[in-house]
Amino acid sequence: SRLTGYAHPKDHLYAKKKFEKICEDAMDVSDPSKSVSWDLVSNKGSNFDKQYFDGNTFWNEEYETQYDSIVPNEPSNRLSRDAERVGDLYETVAERLAFKWPADVDNFENCELRAAMCCWVSDRQANDNNGDCRTPYDERCVDNDPGDNTEICGVDMSRSGESSIYMDDGVSFYPGNSEGSTHCHGFAWGTDLTEPDYRYRANNLFYISMYDHMYQRGYVRNVPGAPMCGCVEKMPVVSRADCTEISALEIWKFHWKADAGPNKEGELTASLDRAEIDFNACQARGGNNNLEAFYDRLYQEGRASLEDRQMLKRTLVGN
């Protein structure tokens, strides 16, 4: 084929590896027109992002109220208005462009197990069929719960991160159902850095933490002693977590320049033309929409090691 001749005459294996390298190089290219820097997501600075993922900021702490209203007969602290940018980003770019991973937020620094999750303990938005926040807000949405999908077993504060909880040690346990309603949701990716679950993991973080749960459902606030969102190894020990995986249709362009290269032997390059990103409930034999089951699928498919799988079970311990 033309590709085989370009890469190495009559060597199909070499051609395949050369082609894979061309694709990998194209994936590594940071084209501003094809990606969204994380600092543009909230557009409020890295300190806001850090505080948000720890369970703070007005996105997490405020509730809709008729008190302190600036506009007569118009409530203050309405989430759909205060976090309007989140909805706009989802509608315009979150399903088309790759978001950059928030490397400046240490909650997500070096996720050793290639998995992250959020756990919420409060609901601040009514009339969305999620959680038990109701109207009128000042009477029925002051300290309300999210939909319960897990049990908190305990929090090891030594792994939560001192920058998140301002202490470096301590343990809390929650026997029985003493913790109240809690909702946890996460995602994971395999060892292949070309797969969509890795390359669009920041989109998944945005979708799970900011759009689907905060903006759509009103789920906010962290489990005491732990960040609200972070790498799995920084999070509370829980029975389970829901899970979202990425599927992506990508259209690539390939360009052949016959006179390019040091010896003018020709050069083949690739570039991403467009992508269609979907956020789906994780599929796995052990159960759909289940982070532990999805991670077991990664292991079965050779995308995660047995050691990593066992380490994950120190956070997601089952019922």
Side-chain angles (χ1 to χ4, degrees):
S1 69
R2 183 75 178 265
L3 175 62
T4 304
Y6 157 69
H8 199 270
K10 298 181 181 180
D11 191 336
H12 287 271
L13 180 60
Y14 186 91
K16 181 180 178 182
K17 291 186 178 297
K18 185 72 175 179
F19 186 79
E20 290 174 350
K21 182 65 167 59
I22 291 170
C23 292
E24 289 173 5
D25 290 344
M27 291 175 186
D28 287 339
V29 172
S30 181
D31 184 348
S33 68
K34 301 289 173 56
S35 62
V36 178
S37 176
W38 188 267
D39 60 3
L40 297 177
V41 174
S42 72
N43 208 32
K44 298 181 184 300
S46 59
N47 183 62
F48 180 93
D49 293 342
K50 164 64 177 171
Q51 292 299 317
Y52 167 75
F53 284 121
D54 284 343
N56 307 314
T57 77
F58 67 94
W59 281 2
N60 283 303
E61 296 172 341
E62 294 183 350
Y63 295 81
E64 187 169 321
T65 178
Q66 294 293 336
Y67 300 116
D68 301 322
S69 180
I70 298 175
V71 181
N73 302 317
E74 190 69 26
S76 60
N77 306 336
R78 175 163 288 176
L79 180 59
S80 60
R81 182 176 59 228
D82 292 348
E84 183 179 15
R85 182 175 180 81
V86 172
D88 291 342
L89 284 174
Y90 178 76
E91 295 294 337
T92 56
V93 295
E95 296 179 293
R96 298 191 302 108
L97 303 179
F99 284 20
K100 296 295 186 63
W101 189 248
D104 292 338
V105 179
D106 58 9
N107 302 37
F108 305 104
E109 184 179 8
N110 188 27
C111 290
E112 297 178 1
L113 301 181
R114 300 176 310 284
M117 73 177 188
C118 301
C119 289
W120 302 272
V121 298
S122 186
D123 178 22
R124 61 163 291 185
Q125 181 169 267
N127 303 322
D128 57 16
N129 297 317
N130 288 283
D132 64 6
C133 171
R134 300 290 186 268
T135 56
Y137 277 90
D138 291 315
E139 298 173 14
R140 304 181 64 191
C141 192
V142 177
D143 184 20
N144 290 71
D145 297 326
D148 192 18
N149 75 342
T150 191
E151 299 294 331
I152 302 177
C153 304
V155 177
D156 181 355
M157 300 176 199
S158 66
R159 70 181 200 167
S160 297
E162 190 172 350
S163 66
S164 294
I165 63 171
Y166 306 106
M167 61 177 65
D168 59 7
D169 201 5
V171 178
S172 60
F173 296 100
Y174 296 88
N177 294 317
S178 60
E179 81 279 8
S181 296
T182 307
H183 192 97
C184 293
H185 197 119
F187 60 103
W189 58 93
T191 53
D192 182 358
L193 303 188
T194 65
E195 66 180 36
D197 279 321
Y198 170 76
R199 294 175 44 239
Y200 298 108
R201 69 197 190 285
N203 297 61
N204 215 353
L205 174 62
F206 164 80
Y207 175 80
I208 291 170
S209 67
M210 291 184 174
Y211 179 74
D212 187 38
H213 288 86
M214 188 265 290
Y215 184 77
Q216 291 282 85
R217 310 187 198 191
Y219 290 0
V220 294
R221 302 311 306 265
N222 59 303
V223 176
M228 185 179 74
C229 302
C231 300
V232 159
E233 57 267 25
K234 299 177 184 288
M235 297 299 291
V237 178
V238 298
S239 60
R240 66 172 304 283
D242 288 349
C243 177
T244 296
E245 65 175 314
I246 293 288
S247 66
L249 171 65
E250 297 179 319
I251 308 300
W252 291 84
K253 284 185 175 180
F254 294 89
H255 182 62
W256 172 260
K257 293 185 67 175
D259 58 350
N263 299 315
K264 294 190 175 183
E265 72 277 19
E267 182 180 42
L268 181 68
T269 59
S271 62
L272 179 63
D273 181 51
R274 62 185 176 88
E276 297 175 7
I277 305 165
D278 290 322
F279 304 94
N280 302 315
C282 293
Q283 304 294 303
R285 285 185 298 176
N288 297 333
N289 196 31
N290 185 298
L291 181 56
E292 192 278 327
F294 179 71
Y295 209 90
D296 186 63
R297 173 185 147 192
L298 293 182
Y299 165 69
Q300 297 294 337
E301 294 176 353
R303 298 159 63 194
S305 69
L306 177 61
E307 181 182 3
D308 288 344
R309 177 190 175 205
Q310 296 305 110
M311 288 292 291
L312 183 88
K313 291 184 177 182
R314 294 185 180 184
T315 299
L316 302 174
V317 298
N319 295 316

